[in-house]
Amino acid sequence: MATDNAAVNFSELVNKNKQTLARLKKSSRLLLHRRDGEDLVLTTAARAEQDQTVVSAATRMLGAMARREPGSMELLLDILPDAFPWARFLPEADVHAFAVELVDTMRAADSVGNSASVAQMLIAWQHTAEIHSDPELLAALTSDHGEDYGPVPDPRDIA
């Protein structure tokens, strides 16, 4: 079985469903391009369950290692820049906070079976690293402007 993902237009699934679904035997996932919305990924329930089992196992092992094994936090801090190269731009204290938050968020997300919070947390930390990578942006965002610009309007009131 091939591991690459096949891609088709959503209309192929609608118009030629048997032939399109047969492609799942040759590929683990089928990317469905849609004109009027976000693309979809089609896979089998068994494959989705396998993927979730693997992610859950990795999450549990990482969490257990981070709490039980002496020196594991130092190891995690050492390997983070290999896994997330942008982490090199974070100050040392932030790298430690990122590591702790990553393990905790992965464990919490695994417990509810939804990884959206992990993806959101990773994006937020990457944006933080991007700010630290640009001295001008960092200075602009961390300097005291000496003024209070007043209350921030509720975005729902702006239209």
Side-chain angles (χ1 to χ4, degrees):
M1 174 185 276
T3 59
D4 59 335
N5 296 333
V8 298
N9 291 325
F10 186 79
S11 58
E12 275 192 60
L13 176 63
V14 174
N15 297 325
K16 302 175 185 175
N17 58 15
K18 287 184 181 180
Q19 297 93 324
T20 304
L21 290 175
R23 294 180 75 171
L24 280 175
K25 292 180 180 175
K26 298 177 184 169
S27 179
S28 58
R29 289 170 186 79
L30 190 59
L31 179 63
L32 301 172
H33 295 293
R34 299 190 313 163
R35 286 183 302 199
D36 60 349
E38 187 176 358
D39 290 347
L40 303 173
V41 175
L42 184 65
T43 190
T44 64
R47 168 62 79 172
E49 188 175 331
Q50 288 172 351
D51 291 348
Q52 182 57 41
T53 298
V54 170
V55 170
S56 182
T59 297
R60 290 173 188 204
M61 288 176 20
L62 178 63
M65 182 188 75
R67 278 184 305 287
R68 293 189 186 139
E69 189 64 34
S72 61
M73 184 53 79
E74 289 75 21
L75 176 61
L76 182 57
L77 292 171
D78 189 46
I79 65 170
L80 271 180
D82 289 334
F84 306 101
W86 46 260
R88 289 175 171 82
F89 295 115
L90 294 171
E92 189 175 328
D94 283 358
V95 174
H96 187 272
F98 168 51
V100 170
E101 187 176 351
L102 177 61
V103 172
D104 290 347
T105 304
M106 287 178 68
R107 288 186 66 237
D110 181 55
S111 74
V112 296
N114 186 336
S115 61
S117 59
V118 177
Q120 181 180 11
M121 186 256 337
L122 287 170
I123 291 167
W125 275 109
Q126 183 174 4
H127 289 319
T128 301
E130 289 169 0
I131 291 167
H132 283 281
S133 74
D134 183 338
E136 289 179 21
L137 181 58
L138 181 62
L141 293 174
T142 57
S143 64
D144 183 8
H145 297 285
E147 291 185 48
D148 183 351
Y149 296 102
V152 176
D154 188 327
R156 296 172 291 196
D157 297 337
I158 301 172

